[in-house]
Amino acid sequence: MYSKTFRHHMDQSKIIYTFVKDVFPVVKKELHFWQQKAAEASSNILSEQASASIGKKSFHAQGGSIYSLYGSSMDENLIKFIVALQTISDYLDNLCDRVGVEDVNAFLQLHCAITDALHREEDYKDYYAFYPYEEDGGYLQRLVSTCKEYIRTLPSYPLVQEEVLYLGGLYSEMQAYKHTSLSVREKHMQLWSKPHLIKYPELSTWEFSAAAGSTLGIFMLCTLARNPDLTKNKVTQVMDAYFPWVCGLHILLDYFIDLQEDSSTGDLNFVSYYENFHHKRQRLLWFLHQSMDKISTLDYPLFHLTVIEGLLSMYLSDPKTSLPEESLLSKQLLRAAPPSATMYYYICKILRRNNII
């Protein structure tokens, strides 16, 4: 038992070490490339938002790029895909949230870039058709094209495409409705989620919306598609583990650390809908336990566990969790995970102090 636990710690430590040492520099290089492209947009508004989305949200691409270490040595082409798709996601989030536009049709049209990026065909919609700004110097289409180039190389993409497009569609719709005006936002979200909740009756509107807001399921499915011997059964197993569990945990943690900030700015926060501290603790712990249980039956369960522990350590090490209630719940979540999660939590604290993440 001791030797098995020790070996697990060594394997996990190797993943984390390679992640920081080898993957982070490639992600940084890719983000720098897109930062340069963002500066070429003739619309100052679009250029500023593209640049800001990279500057302030780079940890999203960093975190997602852990999938480049799945089952083998680092896959640099997969990193390029993950960075490009995550950059689309973060850029569109800024366009919906930071420019004063509240048109749901404009947001839905913008997010066609996500679903286009997940199709192999050379098909590009007019993403800015209903948006007041459009001169981006080809920035968004180039990001979409970069994603298409990668998925065309995946031998088993046809086996994952249905699930990938389902997740991409949910993500796009959720983001569009979430960013509508305050007076109609909740109604939009509830109407949108209602037919989906038939399949997930144990979730609230806000928990389902959180799961829809994660790109991790897409990254994992595209990672699987590199395997020419992939089976549909393997795809189904990963889908059932990631959606809604790992994806939901991911975004609930994201909203958990932003709860106080969103409360002061009036931004929609999915965690704010829990009735009280006890309810919030119960549901976050449930998502954590469900995630750990579901990934235990997958291939390379230690890798998926490392992802979950990485989510806990990345988010809970954020300075925004230093308030008493957030700090208490953070400790309880870490205690519910294997001891290695606490070790990675302290590693993240050190990386934050040194501005590495």
Side-chain angles (χ1 to χ4, degrees):
M1 179 67 184
Y2 174 79
S3 61
K4 185 180 177 182
T5 303
F6 178 76
R7 191 167 64 251
H8 279 192
H9 280 318
M10 291 299 291
D11 290 344
Q12 277 190 302
S13 297
K14 184 179 177 183
I15 292 171
I16 299 298
Y17 176 76
T18 307
F19 186 40
V20 175
K21 177 180 170 289
D22 297 336
V23 175
F24 275 22
V26 178
V27 173
K28 187 175 181 179
K29 181 184 76 173
E30 287 299 308
L31 289 173
H32 179 67
F33 171 81
W34 291 115
Q35 192 104 47
Q36 289 179 311
K37 295 301 167 192
E40 295 173 8
S42 53
S43 164
N44 287 339
I45 296 266
L46 297 182
S47 181
E48 286 167 8
Q49 293 307 322
S51 184
S53 71
I54 293 172
K56 295 180 180 178
K57 300 176 182 180
S58 60
F59 75 96
H60 291 164
Q62 281 179 329
S65 292
I66 195 167
Y67 290 97
S68 67
L69 299 177
Y70 178 81
S72 63
S73 56
M74 183 180 73
D75 184 341
E76 198 161 328
N77 289 324
L78 178 55
I79 295 175
K80 290 181 180 181
F81 165 75
I82 289 171
V83 171
L85 190 67
Q86 190 61 52
T87 299
I88 295 173
S89 164
D90 292 336
Y91 172 54
L92 298 186
D93 187 56
N94 271 32
L95 294 190
C96 296
D97 200 32
R98 301 283 179 249
V99 184
V101 179
E102 294 182 338
D103 180 358
V104 68
N105 291 319
F107 298 162
L108 287 168
Q109 186 70 12
L110 280 172
H111 279 87
C112 287
I114 294 283
T115 45
D116 278 2
L118 301 172
H119 277 101
R120 288 174 157 180
E121 298 77 21
E122 283 293 314
D123 183 35
Y124 302 90
K125 295 178 184 64
D126 181 1
Y127 308 121
Y128 299 103
F130 308 117
Y131 200 73
Y133 312 98
E134 60 180 26
E135 299 299 325
D136 74 350
Y139 177 70
L140 187 50
Q141 183 168 316
R142 185 160 185 172
L143 282 163
V144 172
S145 176
T146 298
C147 295
K148 287 179 180 291
E149 286 170 15
Y150 180 70
I151 63 173
R152 279 198 291 267
T153 70
L154 298 173
S156 293
Y157 193 69
L159 278 181
V160 304
Q161 184 167 356
E162 181 183 348
E163 289 80 3
V164 164
L165 290 174
Y166 172 72
L167 294 179
L170 287 181
Y171 176 86
S172 301
E173 292 162 1
M174 187 280 291
Q175 287 284 57
Y177 293 126
K178 176 195 153 195
H179 286 104
T180 50
S181 63
L182 198 58
S183 59
V184 297
R185 190 182 289 162
E186 286 191 5
K187 185 180 178 182
H188 270 317
M189 297 290 288
Q190 287 165 337
L191 286 173
W192 164 74
S193 65
K194 190 174 181 179
H196 297 294
L197 291 174
I198 295 169
K199 187 178 177 182
Y200 303 102
E202 68 270 53
L203 303 186
S204 69
T205 290
W206 316 109
E207 289 169 339
F208 178 79
S209 299
S214 174
T215 48
L216 297 187
I218 295 173
F219 296 156
M220 184 59 224
L221 289 168
C222 289
T223 299
L224 281 186
R226 298 178 303 173
N227 177 10
D229 300 319
L230 183 66
T231 64
K232 195 64 183 180
N233 184 51
K234 296 291 185 187
V235 174
T236 302
Q237 285 180 325
V238 164
M239 186 69 177
D240 289 347
Y242 269 75
F243 194 88
W245 308 115
V246 177
C247 289
L249 177 67
H250 171 208
I251 300 302
L252 288 172
L253 288 172
D254 193 16
Y255 279 87
F256 165 64
I257 69 167
D258 285 338
L259 187 56
Q260 297 298 327
E261 188 179 299
D262 290 343
S263 176
S264 63
T265 59
D267 287 345
L268 184 68
N269 187 297
F270 300 145
V271 171
S272 71
Y273 290 90
Y274 291 128
E275 295 165 15
N276 49 41
F277 177 80
H278 172 73
H279 189 212
K280 178 167 57 178
R281 177 182 62 189
Q282 178 192 47
R283 298 302 286 179
L284 288 176
L285 284 168
W286 186 60
F287 266 87
L288 174 58
H289 289 141
Q290 287 290 107
S291 296
M292 291 194 297
D293 181 56
K294 298 286 185 181
I295 61 97
S296 66
T297 63
L298 301 181
D299 291 342
Y300 306 113
L302 190 67
F303 175 86
H304 300 288
L305 181 62
T306 305
V307 169
I308 290 170
E309 292 180 4
L311 290 172
L312 292 170
S313 56
M314 280 279 285
Y315 283 107
L316 301 181
S317 65
D318 191 288
K320 287 180 278 193
T321 63
S322 59
L323 295 168
E325 191 173 288
E326 283 73 12
S327 178
L328 175 61
L329 184 46
S330 295
K331 289 172 184 172
Q332 292 173 336
L333 286 165
L334 286 168
R335 278 201 297 268
S340 45
T342 300
M343 179 178 73
Y344 300 134
Y345 164 83
Y346 286 110
I347 290 172
C348 282
K349 287 270 196 185
I350 294 167
L351 294 175
R352 286 184 185 280
R353 279 201 294 271
N354 290 282
N355 294 316
I356 296 172
I357 58 172

